[in-house]
Amino acid sequence: MIKIPKHTAQKNRKNGFSITEAAVTTAIIATLGSVAYPNYIASQERARCSETKATLTSIPPIISAYIDATGEAPTTWNDLSSIAAVMTNNGPATGDLDAPITLPRTNYELSVEGPSESTYLLTANCFVKTPVSDPADREEQELKEAAFHKIRSCFNVSNGASDLTSGSGTDPANTPNCG
């Protein structure tokens, strides 16, 4: 029997991972990431949508409070800011109510229509950017995406009724009912 000295056996031992072990570990991490990333993105979009819905539900009481305080309908964001500020990325909203504002921390642009027969209609359109191969199809694609990510709310000043609807991502938002 041949004896190998201890110092020679220790020199043949390898340190680190083999290429196979590294490849398998990388594949496992990539698979987990490919499953987790879409859920992460979807949860961020749900959070933005929830924040937009909260903003849309906070505006009718501000409109009502302004009408109660002044006896007339608000026409500008500045009118509403005299009661409570509606925030944008650049601070409190300013300008006419029919001029759209971009809500903070979201991809939504809010516009207010009305009052028409004592009803205000609030619409938040989402800016979702999807790559389009043909530039001629870009506008059509953006309109389609905006319809499916739209959040609509209404508020009837005369009876206090309000409603909120939103697109599901696959179906467009229905018209809210504030009759």
Side-chain angles (χ1 to χ4, degrees), residues 29-116:
I29 291 172
T31 301
L32 292 174
S34 69
V35 170
Y37 186 71
N39 290 332
Y40 171 72
I41 296 300
S43 69
Q44 281 188 324
E45 183 58 35
R46 284 191 303 271
R48 286 186 190 107
C49 184
S50 294
E51 186 172 351
T52 301
K53 286 179 182 179
T55 301
L56 259 63
T57 58
S58 72
I59 293 175
I62 298 170
I63 293 172
S64 182
Y66 181 83
I67 292 171
D68 289 345
T70 64
E72 53 189 54
T75 57
T76 67
W77 290 106
N78 296 337
D79 292 344
L80 295 181
S81 290
S82 68
I83 302 296
V86 177
M87 297 304 291
T88 69
N89 285 331
N90 302 322
T94 58
D96 292 335
L97 274 181
D98 57 0
I101 61 169
T102 302
L103 299 176
R105 299 176 304 279
T106 68
N107 296 336
Y108 286 90
E109 184 178 80
L110 173 64
S111 61
V112 178
E113 299 172 25
S116 173

Side-chain angles (χ1 to χ4, degrees), residues 9-20:
Q10 288 177 351
K11 285 183 181 178
N12 292 336
R13 197 177 328 173
K14 297 179 183 177
N15 291 331
F17 298 105
S18 70
I19 189 75
T20 305

Side-chain angles (χ1 to χ4, degrees), residues 159-179:
N159 63 14
S162 63
D163 191 17
L164 185 132
T165 62
S166 62
S168 65
T170 56
D171 295 321
N174 295 323
T175 302
N177 180 12
C178 285

